[in-house]
Structure formats: structure tokens, C-alpha cells
Amino acid sequence: AQRVTQPEKLLSVFKGAPVELKCNYSYSGSPELFWYVQYSRQRLQLLLRHISRESIKGFTADLNKGETSFHLKKPFAQEEDSAMYYCAPRVFSGTYKYIFGTGTRLKVLA
Amino acid sequence: NAGVTQTPKFRVLKTGQSMTLLCAQDMNHEYMYWYRQDPGMGLRLIHYSVGEGTTAKGEVPDGYNVSRLKKQNFLLGLESAAPSQTSVYFCASSYSRGQFGSYEQYFGPGTRLTVT
């Protein structure tokens, strides 16, 4: 079955500590992978996409096709990183669609 | 640009009542989507549209209908609301990449709907 899994509902880390938000997917083919973020009282917005190989706000995400994972990482967490993070593969099923994971709430503690 | 706007922001319905949620975008996007967000479930796609006059079912379409009569608007209707439809509803839009689907999605602020 096609699915995307974010195993942690809540992840708490201290400011300055490294953070890794896990995402595993099981889709045939090669989906495009994205991370979306929702800060408190703000709308959901794109954080980064794997095809761009970019670093946004210090976050990076490496696509591991062998493990079918797309974990989001940041070496030094900041309090302003506290938010809800969604992994979202874009898959083809009749047409292209995003499939959102259940999300991980990141809390960065002072 | 206002981006993606949603009307209303909040609504309380009684079981069996009907309502329409309006999504509007001013970015000339071809694709538009309706999602619902429930605790522990993430965002689930209800219906989507790849262009004016076209709509398609998503992951959880039952109990909802949609229309895209104008490119900039995407309406979500609940004909007979049920408590299970209590949720936060998000609209999104994106550009088309032709045969490669869509670009990133731009989201509205959400509509919080409670059905009692």
C-alpha cells in the first residue's frame, strides 16, 4: 500500500541540539518529496523540496532511495523552529497528488 | 496579492444542515485542492481540480461536493453535515507543470468547522 510515515508525533529538543524529523515512504516509482511547515497561527507553507537540494532556515533533507526515507535535519535547533512539520511525497495516481504524512510537532526548549 | 483566502474562518453547524466553504486565489493557479486536517491524521485530500470546470475525488470525498465554475474559486459543499465532518478545512492552489503535475502548493488560513 502507498503510504508516508512520520513515526514521531512529538519531538522535543533543547535549543542548540541537533534535530532529525523522520519520514519514510512506500511508493512505487520515484516520487518528488517535500517538507511543509506550519508555525503557530500561520498557514501551512513549503519548507523545502528534495529536487532543489537546498538548505532552508538551516534545514536539509536527503532522499535515501534505498531506505525510502526523506528525513529532515538541522544541526542546531532554534526556538523559532518550533512548529508542525509534514512530509509530503508527490505521487502519480491518475494525476499528480500530494500525500501528507500525519505530521511531527517539534518543540525546541530554551 | 491576497494569495489564497477562505470564507468563513469559523462555523458551527447542526447535524443535517448544509453549508458551502469558499476558496479564492488571485495567483492564476490552475490547480486547487480541499483538505481536511484532523488530530493524528495529518492532511487528507477531499477533492481537487486541475482546471476551471473540472473536479476529481481525493482520498476522503464522501459527504462533500465541489464546484470550480471560475478559475479563481473552488467551492466545497456539505449537503447534510455530520459530526464526523468536524474538522479544520484547508484550501490550496498551485501552478500546473503540464504533464508533470503541479508546483508547490499555497495554502489558505483554514476554516474551523464544528458540527454538533
Side-chain angles (χ1 to χ4, degrees):
Chain A
Q2 298 182 333
R3 62 167 51 182
V4 54
T5 303
Q6 293 182 250
E8 303 121 339
K9 287 186 178 180
L10 173 64
L11 185 63
S12 296
V13 301
F14 284 102
K15 178 181 172 182
V19 61
E20 182 180 55
L21 289 85
K22 292 185 170 57
C23 173
N24 291 91
Y25 65 93
S26 59
Y27 289 97
S28 58
S30 298
E32 249 186 288
L33 289 134
F34 299 78
W35 277 97
Y36 279 78
V37 61
Q38 188 174 25
Y39 299 103
S40 178
R41 295 191 178 86
Q42 293 187 28
R43 57 186 73 190
L44 200 65
Q45 59 187 286
L46 177 69
L47 179 62
L48 56 80
R49 68 196 85 188
H50 91 270
I51 200 169
S52 301
R53 298 184 180 276
E54 55 200 349
S55 172
I56 304 294
K57 298 185 178 182
F59 284 97
T60 58
D62 290 325
L63 175 61
N64 186 322
K65 289 188 178 181
E67 296 180 359
T68 59
S69 68
F70 187 52
H71 303 330
L72 184 67
K73 300 177 184 179
K74 185 169 182 177
F76 307 104
Q78 303 299 315
E79 289 181 75
E80 55 265 28
D81 295 329
S82 295
M84 194 74 176
Y85 291 81
Y86 292 95
C87 179
R90 193 177 71 101
V91 301
F92 185 81
S93 177
T95 186
Y96 282 98
K97 300 174 205 174
Y98 285 87
I99 307 295
F100 283 83
T102 52
T104 297
R105 182 167 296 284
L106 174 65
K107 282 191 177 179
V108 181
L109 309 170
Chain B
N1 285 353
V4 180
T5 58
Q6 292 182 231
T7 309
K9 289 186 169 56
F10 305 93
R11 186 74 185 267
V12 178
L13 286 180
K14 293 186 177 178
T15 298
Q17 287 185 319
S18 63
M19 78 163 294
T20 300
L21 281 69
L22 170 64
C23 175
Q25 52 94 4
D26 60 3
M27 296 174 282
N28 204 33
H29 286 170
E30 291 84 4
Y31 284 55
M32 296 187 76
Y33 313 80
W34 274 108
Y35 294 91
R36 58 177 291 173
Q37 184 184 44
D38 302 292
M41 305 285 285
L43 274 77
R44 292 182 292 169
L45 183 63
I46 304 171
H47 286 279
Y48 64 98
S49 168
V50 300
E52 181 179 328
T54 71
T55 62
K57 294 180 180 179
E59 186 184 357
V60 288
D62 294 342
Y64 305 95
N65 56 74
V66 288
S67 64
R68 183 106 181 262
L69 299 179
K70 293 183 179 181
K71 187 177 184 179
Q72 63 268 34
N73 295 338
F74 196 29
L75 278 64
L76 178 71
L78 286 74
E79 289 187 349
S80 180
S84 60
Q85 293 177 305
T86 294
S87 187
V88 180
Y89 291 86
F90 288 99
C91 176
S93 69
S94 62
Y95 281 114
S96 169
R97 291 166 61 186
Q99 63 175 323
F100 300 106
S102 62
Y103 286 104
E104 69 178 90
Q105 297 188 338
Y106 292 81
F107 283 83
T111 295
R112 187 173 295 276
L113 175 66
T114 301
V115 183
T116 62

